[in-house]
Amino acid sequence: MPTKYVSSPQAPQPIGPYSQGVISGGFLFCSGQIAIDPVTGELVDGDVAVQTDRVLQNLVAVLRAAKMGPENVVKATV
């Protein structure tokens, strides 16, 4: 099965030499996310709850770009 790279404009663009996500062997591997607003490119203001919400929104955007959702997550490391 070929490797496919996944990206979403609803998640912050990578600032390093990596992809938002890679599909390989039928699995989607997502890069780590931080609480950056993809519209402004700035770190969101707020407490840990606000920042965690932004991180999860970014990850769900990458999942959606791969035609997946949170129900497809097998493992998450925080």
Side-chain angles (χ1 to χ4, degrees), residues 3-5 8-9 17-18 25-27 37-38 41-42 44 46-47 52 55-56 58-59 65 68-69 71 73 75 77:
T3 299
K4 179 181 175 190
Y5 297 94
S8 171
Y18 57 90
F27 289 94
D37 183 320
E42 299 291 324
V44 296
D47 62 11
T52 300
V55 167
L56 292 173
N58 293 345
L59 286 168
M68 297 181 188
E71 67 277 5
V73 173
K75 178 184 179 190
T77 303

Side-chain angles (χ1 to χ4, degrees), residues 29-41:
F29 298 91
C30 293
S31 66
Q33 292 287 329
I34 58 175
I36 293 181
D37 183 320
V39 175
T40 65

